[in-house]
Amino acid sequence: DDDNVAGKLDRYSYVDVVGKDISATATAGEGYKFVGWYDSTGNKVTTGLSSDGKTISYTTTGNATYIARFEKTVTQTFDRQILEGSTWIKTTDNKVGMLTNYTHTDVVGATATSTATAGTGYKFVGWYDSTGNKVTVGLSSDGRTISYTTTGAATYHDRFEKVKVTQTYKRQVKNGETWTDTDEDTVGTLSHYTHTTEYGSETGATATAGTGYEFVGWYKVETTGVAETATTTGTTLSYTATDDAT
């Protein structure tokens, strides 16, 4: 083809005696991929090629024709989105999550793939196509890897959202030597009893003792994840939420 858009050769013809060494190199144009050298009968050349296959070299034995083939490429785009309010917003923040591939350019029929990994405090929600429909095929067992055969240019969105953690606050009253849970407001009240918040957010609760009772302090249930850095100011407990906690 005389159209150099698809690709170019450094030599288009060569005339000399039999037994001379000859070579030609193919260079693909923008948006195209070189797919190989072929002989005049359409068979792909597999010998006498450079390591990248773009240069053909041989010793002439007679008239011959070789064809460099190019195919148009298509680009697959993989991006990340995070939920802000009720809207999914594109993000490039690696703290939210990362992908193994963000773009993939190859010929139609090639395999494209990308794997999502959520950042600390975020969770992977799923892969979605350019119209916002959730992808349900071509996924790994955990859903994090998308893999498919390209048919044209395409964009897929990988969605992440903040992990939600639930904080539970209880009241206890001392009966003899034993501390027992109570729901009696006459003993005392709390500003929160259960509170669901995003991972990494500041949270806490304030206690108010009832008449005839004294606030003693906040205590961590050992099997739950209240941060060791939790602090108290008067009757107020403050800390950064990183897990469900009581």
Side-chain angles (χ1 to χ4, degrees):
D1 196 327
D2 290 333
D3 186 356
N4 288 331
V5 172
K8 297 187 294 185
L9 307 178
D10 66 341
R11 173 179 282 123
Y12 292 91
S13 63
Y14 176 80
V15 179
D16 208 331
V17 297
V18 169
K20 292 292 185 179
D21 292 333
I22 180 65
S23 67
T25 300
T27 302
E30 185 175 354
Y32 290 82
K33 178 182 179 180
F34 170 72
V35 295
W37 283 99
Y38 291 78
D39 64 23
S40 58
T41 61
N43 296 310
K44 190 169 186 177
V45 176
T46 57
T47 60
L49 300 174
S50 59
S51 59
D52 61 5
K54 294 178 181 179
T55 299
I56 184 172
S57 302
Y58 59 96
T59 302
T60 60
T61 58
N63 293 333
T65 298
Y66 290 94
I67 304 155
R69 291 183 176 175
F70 303 91
E71 284 189 46
K72 194 170 182 61
T73 58
V74 291
T75 297
Q76 313 303 300
T77 301
F78 307 103
D79 64 25
R80 296 163 287 178
Q81 293 184 332
I82 185 172
L83 186 63
E84 292 188 0
S86 59
T87 304
W88 290 98
I89 303 297
K90 182 178 179 179
T91 181
T92 58
D93 187 353
N94 289 339
K95 292 179 181 178
V96 173
M98 299 180 69
L99 307 178
T100 54
N101 290 307
Y102 295 92
T103 60
H104 176 86
T105 300
D106 208 332
V107 297
V108 169
T111 299
T113 184
S114 187
T115 300
T117 302
T120 302
Y122 294 85
K123 69 177 181 178
F124 166 74
V125 177
W127 284 100
Y128 291 76
D129 64 22
S130 58
T131 60
N133 295 310
K134 189 168 186 177
V135 176
T136 58
V137 296
L139 301 174
S140 59
S141 58
D142 62 5
R144 295 192 305 113
T145 300
I146 185 172
S147 183
Y148 58 95
T149 301
T150 62
T151 58
T155 298
Y156 290 93
H157 309 295
D158 180 38
R159 292 180 173 176
F160 300 96
E161 65 181 3
K162 275 274 195 179
V163 171
K164 299 293 194 300
V165 289
T166 298
Q167 314 302 297
T168 302
Y169 307 102
K170 296 183 176 181
R171 295 164 288 178
Q172 290 187 331
V173 63
K174 193 173 185 180
N175 293 314
E177 296 301 318
T178 303
W179 289 95
T180 58
D181 291 350
T182 181
D183 293 327
E184 293 291 334
D185 288 345
T186 55
V187 172
T189 58
L190 305 178
S191 59
H192 297 296
Y193 295 95
T194 59
H195 176 59
T196 299
T197 189
E198 292 184 343
Y199 177 100
S201 63
E202 294 300 316
T203 190
T206 299
T208 302
T211 302
Y213 291 86
E214 179 184 9
F215 172 75
V216 177
W218 286 100
Y219 293 81
K220 168 185 172 184
V221 177
E222 294 300 329
T223 57
T224 68
V226 176
E228 296 295 341
T229 56
T231 59
T232 57
T233 303
T235 61
T236 298
L237 171 72
S238 301
Y239 60 95
T240 301
T242 58
D243 203 347
D244 293 342
T246 301

